[in-house]
Amino acid sequence: ILMKLSFLKPQSVEFGTIASSLIGQAKFSDIVVVNKMKLTDNVIRETMFSGRLSLSKLTLLKNFIKTVRLTMEGRVEDVMSITNTFKDLVIGGALSITKAQMSKTTVEDMIVKGIVSLKGVHCDRGVFTDFFITHDLAAEKLSLGRSILKEISIGGGASVENLKLSDTSIFDSELHGSSMLHDLRFRGAKLEGIKVFSTMVVNAFQATTSSLMEISLLKDLALSTGTFKRSEVRNSYFLGSASLFAAKFVQSSLEDVRKTITGKTKPQTDHANSVRV
């Protein structure tokens, strides 16, 4: 049991293991660098980092981490997380995660007050709820399998390239800034209650056996080279213009997809509001 620890100088830790421990009310007043560490079956609570935090080659297994405050930016590289729970996290600056493998990881009630950069991140059977990013999201080579994302809010825009969703659900989430999305592949995915407040450009999109329901596009949409195969789009609407270039619908359906003009909604087709191709 380690309680009420205080470190005033920069800390650098390399080649260590912490197992079956309770760590609480720890304060780090300067830069913290952790390399090649393994944390197993620990409870870490009420931890404060006043300087930058850098984690690399870290293995996390069966840990419960709650109420962490990082006043500056955080950098995470080459990390493996298995059966961990993170709750009540606040990061005061940017967050960068590169090359991460996550399985059965839960993140709940997290705020990042800066840009979030994700590269080479894979998550299987993860749960992410109540996650707020105040600035932009930049993601490259991001894949989610059998995961649930709920109440995710991005205050800025999004630049996403090579995103894969397999048997993953995203509910009640918001994207406020303009976004550029390239090479999206959905298989068995479910998106419901998504609101996009600014222009969205999507290039190279493929949805297979997926469903998009209650999608609200409040500005323009440009979709290029998109394929919907055995998928459905239902109960959705948009306010701006929609440009669909080289879009294909194979054994897919569009039902009650509407465009709102001057406060009124009407079906996108003049004769019906349901189309099956």
Side-chain angles (χ1 to χ4, degrees):
I1 299 176
L2 303 173
M3 300 293 294
K4 296 184 179 180
L5 303 175
S6 182
F7 300 90
L8 302 178
K9 296 182 178 181
Q11 301 295 315
S12 178
V13 181
E14 189 167 353
F15 296 109
T17 300
I18 300 176
S20 303
S21 299
L22 171 61
I23 302 173
Q25 300 179 12
K27 295 182 179 180
F28 298 85
S29 300
D30 212 320
I31 299 172
V32 176
V33 178
V34 179
N35 186 33
K36 297 180 181 178
M37 283 281 294
K38 184 175 183 180
L39 279 70
T40 304
D41 199 19
N42 300 288
V43 175
I44 302 174
R45 305 174 61 120
E46 299 178 22
T47 305
M48 170 70 76
F49 297 90
S50 298
R52 293 189 299 274
L53 176 64
S54 178
L55 307 174
S56 62
K57 297 182 180 179
L58 186 67
T59 300
L60 302 170
L61 177 62
K62 296 181 180 180
N63 297 282
F64 180 80
I65 300 173
K66 182 179 180 182
T67 312
V68 175
R69 299 292 182 266
L70 174 60
T71 59
M72 300 181 70
E73 67 268 21
R75 183 180 297 273
V76 180
E77 183 175 357
D78 195 5
V79 171
M80 178 176 291
S81 172
I82 302 175
T83 319
N84 295 285
T85 299
F86 301 86
K87 299 184 68 173
D88 187 18
L89 310 180
V90 178
I91 298 176
L95 173 63
S96 173
I97 302 178
T98 304
K99 194 180 178 182
Q101 296 283 336
M102 295 184 289
S103 178
K104 298 181 181 179
T105 295
T106 298
V107 179
E108 181 179 343
D109 190 15
M110 181 173 180
I111 299 175
V112 180
K113 300 179 180 180
I115 297 173
V116 173
S117 176
L118 306 175
K119 186 174 182 180
V121 176
H122 173 72
C123 180
D124 183 65
R125 288 174 287 181
V127 178
F128 301 85
T129 61
D130 198 10
F131 192 167
F132 180 45
I133 301 171
T134 62
H135 291 65
D136 298 342
L137 168 66
E140 182 180 350
K141 295 183 180 179
L142 174 63
S143 63
L144 300 170
R146 294 175 289 180
S147 299
I148 297 175
L149 288 77
K150 186 175 181 180
E151 297 182 5
I152 310 298
S153 180
I154 301 175
S159 174
V160 179
E161 183 173 357
N162 196 346
L163 169 65
K164 296 181 181 179
L165 300 182
S166 301
D167 299 318
T168 291
S169 299
I170 303 178
F171 301 110
D172 304 328
S173 298
E174 299 179 349
L175 174 59
H176 288 261
S178 299
S179 57
M180 178 73 71
L181 313 179
H182 176 70
D183 191 12
L184 309 184
R185 300 182 185 182
F186 298 171
R187 180 177 292 274
K190 182 177 181 180
L191 278 66
E192 183 175 345
I194 309 298
K195 292 183 179 180
V196 181
F197 290 88
S198 194
T199 301
M200 173 177 284
V201 177
V202 182
N203 183 31
F205 172 81
Q206 181 175 328
T208 304
T209 59
S210 299
S211 64
L212 287 74
M213 297 185 292
E214 299 181 13
I215 308 298
S216 302
L217 302 174
L218 305 183
K219 277 204 172 179
D220 301 337
L221 168 67
L223 172 62
S224 176
T225 316
T227 301
F228 294 84
K229 187 175 182 180
R230 298 190 302 276
S231 299
E232 60 178 352
V233 181
R234 292 193 297 147
N235 303 333
S236 300
Y237 71 90
F238 60 93
L239 294 177
S241 63
S243 174
L244 305 180
F245 179 75
K248 299 179 181 179
F249 295 86
V250 181
Q251 297 179 342
S252 299
S253 64
L254 284 77
E255 182 178 348
D256 198 15
V257 178
R258 299 172 179 264
K259 177 176 175 60
T260 301
I261 303 177
T262 63
K264 298 181 180 180
T265 59
K266 70 174 184 179
Q268 274 307 102
T269 56
D270 294 331
H271 59 279
N273 63 355
S274 178
V275 178
R276 181 175 293 274
V277 181

